């Protein structure tokens, strides 16, 4: 079955750009990214690999590297408001359901 | 605006049952999916189950197959998750989430299920 691997943590200083990887995703499926701040429900920051919902700042972007079977969430102009856990997610046709990555904690130094 | 409100969580003994509800409003697309996703304390997100708006398609993660059943009442715009033979490891915050034909998921606030003796 599909397994999505994320780094446990990523950190950066205010104003910097960081990227979170999500590896071993299936090239035949889209990737979604969710932000979850402590004590709150997840919210979608990227869907269908690179689409940004209205209301999500354009500092958030999604991309795919087909050569490495990896998806990326990039956050530019990092702010303290971006401190949260981030999860990637994709569809697994073997289970007819979705799989989440293990999550990445973003810390703004 | 899509709103999802979960209810039905609580404390139950191992082997017991609970039925969670997810009341949906503001969904304008004719076809849409409703999912249940759980998050154990301090842990990550785990997809549990999904059902389509016509009730014709449903699927489950292996860990709950044979114990959980998802259903919907379109007249009440509500999806249910019947959870039987509950185990300690089912303890989690259970979210419902929805998306139309696109994969833009909207999430509820969650309902807490605690399985303990």
């Amino acid at each position: 079955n599909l397994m999505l691997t994320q780094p446990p943590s990523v950190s950066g200083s205010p104003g910097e750009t960081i990227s979170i990887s999500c590896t071993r995703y299936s090239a035949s499926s889209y990737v979604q990214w969710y932000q979850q701040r402590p004590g709150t429900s997840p919210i979608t920051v990227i869907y269908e690999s690179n689409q940004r919902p209205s209301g999500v700042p354009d500092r958030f972007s999604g991309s795919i590297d087909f050569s490495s079977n990896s998806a990326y969430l990039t956050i530019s102009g990092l702010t303290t408001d971006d401190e949260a856990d981030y999860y990637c997610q994709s569809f697994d046709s073997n289970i007819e359901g979705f799989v989440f990555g293990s999550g990445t904690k973003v810390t703004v130094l | 605006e899509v709103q999802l409100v979960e209810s039905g969580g609580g404390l139950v003994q191992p082997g017991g049952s609970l039925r969670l509800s997810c009341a949906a409003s503001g969904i304008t697309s004719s076809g849409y999916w409703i999912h249940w996703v759980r998050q154990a304390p301090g842990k990550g997100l785990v997809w549990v189950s999904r059902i389509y708006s016509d009730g014709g398609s449903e699927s489950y993660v292996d860990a709950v197959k044979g114990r959980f059943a998802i259903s919907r009442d379109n007249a009440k715009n509500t999806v249910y998750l019947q959870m039987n033979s509950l185990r300690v490891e089912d303890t989690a915050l259970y979210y419902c989430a929805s998306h139309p034909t696109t994969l833009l998921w909207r999430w509820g606030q969650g309902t807490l299920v605690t399985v303990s003796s």
Side-chain angles (χ1 to χ4, degrees):
Chain A
N1 290 347
L2 180 65
M3 288 184 62
L4 303 175
T5 301
Q6 298 180 234
S9 62
V10 171
S11 61
S13 299
E16 287 189 343
T17 296
I18 63 169
S19 287
I20 303 169
S21 61
C22 175
T23 61
R24 301 196 66 185
Y25 104 100
S26 169
S28 62
S29 298
Y30 288 117
V31 176
Q32 285 59 248
W33 290 92
Y34 302 98
Q35 177 194 68
Q36 187 179 35
R37 297 189 178 97
T40 68
S41 303
I43 64 169
T44 303
V45 291
I46 294 291
Y47 69 102
E48 293 179 359
S49 300
N50 58 12
Q51 300 300 301
R52 193 173 51 251
S54 61
V56 173
D58 60 5
R59 300 184 296 103
F60 290 81
S61 63
S63 62
I64 299 293
D65 180 349
F66 292 104
S67 65
S68 62
N69 271 357
S70 294
Y72 294 91
L73 173 69
T74 299
I75 309 173
S76 60
L78 203 61
T79 75
T80 56
D81 197 44
D82 300 331
E83 282 204 332
D85 292 325
Y86 292 83
Y87 296 89
C88 63
Q89 178 226 49
S90 193
F91 183 74
D92 184 357
S93 57
N94 291 316
I95 64 171
E96 284 293 313
F98 286 81
V99 174
F100 289 89
S102 48
T104 298
K105 183 176 184 59
V106 168
T107 302
V108 181
L109 303 171
Chain B
E1 180 185 346
V2 174
Q3 286 201 333
L4 303 168
V5 179
E6 303 94 331
S7 60
L11 174 64
V12 62
Q13 292 188 337
S17 298
L18 273 180
R19 189 179 80 159
L20 306 183
S21 299
C22 172
S25 61
I27 297 179
T28 57
S29 54
S30 57
Y32 60 95
W33 292 90
I34 296 280
H35 301 258
W36 287 99
V37 175
R38 68 185 181 184
Q39 187 170 35
K43 302 296 185 182
L45 301 171
V46 176
W47 176 83
V48 173
S49 180
R50 70 170 184 170
I51 190 166
Y52 192 58
S53 48
D54 65 1
S57 297
E58 57 187 74
S59 51
Y60 304 88
V61 69
D62 284 350
V64 308
K65 277 182 183 175
R67 299 188 299 124
F68 290 13
I70 193 170
S71 62
R72 65 189 307 141
D73 182 338
N74 283 342
K76 295 182 178 180
N77 289 329
T78 299
V79 168
Y80 304 100
L81 186 68
Q82 178 66 44
M83 306 187 296
N84 300 325
S85 303
L86 282 161
R87 305 168 180 168
V88 171
E89 55 265 35
D90 294 319
T91 294
L93 186 59
Y94 283 72
Y95 295 102
C96 73
S98 173
H99 65 89
T101 51
T102 70
L103 291 172
L104 173 52
W105 285 41
R106 304 291 187 187
W107 297 72
Q109 86 289 347
T111 186
L112 182 63
V113 172
T114 304
V115 185
S116 174
S117 54

